[in-house]
Amino acid sequence: MDTTPSGHALVEAGWQKVRGDGRVRPELLEAAYAEPRLRHLFPWTGMGELHFSRCTEWPWAWDVPYIQPAANGEYWVSGPLRSESVGPAVTPQQAVTMVVDRLPPNCGPALVGALSR
């Protein structure tokens, strides 16, 4: 587990990037960032989805569920694999809680670099 200032800085830069790219609803980003267990993971986006990685470099770790936008401002939690579905969430906070409840054991701050395969 990397808790060095450089690891923290990389994760924080990742959060700043996803806030600025406009791909994810701002209220979801704020709810996820407010949760300490997610704030220490490296965020990345794709197709309007908010993903969380336990490493700071690609290939991202795919062992944490992710949050997708759904109709009427709601959300859908899936994963960690694309073929796995967790379920719907009405609010960003519900979606975040669903992800946190399914974090892998010992899911701590993101490691600097890519995870060993």
Side-chain angles (χ1 to χ4, degrees), residues 30-54:
E30 294 312 311
Y33 188 79
E35 169 51 60
R37 288 166 288 186
L38 297 183
R39 184 173 53 244
H40 296 296
L41 298 177
F42 191 84
W44 61 279
T45 60
M47 301 184 299
E49 302 164 347
L50 180 58
H51 295 258
F52 309 94
S53 178
R54 293 187 311 114

Side-chain angles (χ1 to χ4, degrees), residues 6-113:
S6 62
H8 175 75
L10 287 170
V11 170
E12 189 59 34
W15 280 102
Q16 293 306 316
K17 181 178 178 185
V18 298
R19 282 186 168 133
D21 73 15
R23 295 179 183 178
V24 175
R25 296 174 186 162
E27 60 273 13
L28 175 57
L29 288 170
E30 294 312 311
Y33 188 79
E35 169 51 60
R37 288 166 288 186
L38 297 183
R39 184 173 53 244
H40 296 296
L41 298 177
F42 191 84
W44 61 279
T45 60
M47 301 184 299
E49 302 164 347
L50 180 58
H51 295 258
F52 309 94
S53 178
R54 293 187 311 114
C55 61
T56 61
E57 293 180 13
W58 190 88
W60 311 122
W62 274 84
D63 59 352
V64 175
Y66 59 96
I67 305 169
Q68 302 169 272
N72 301 318
E74 296 182 0
Y75 302 90
W76 191 269
V77 179
S78 295
L81 302 176
R82 288 235 178 251
S83 60
E84 299 173 326
S85 180
V86 176
V90 175
T91 67
Q93 291 79 13
Q94 279 182 320
V96 164
T97 297
M98 292 167 75
V99 170
V100 168
D101 288 347
R102 290 161 181 82
L103 288 174
N106 302 316
C107 188
L111 296 171
V112 173

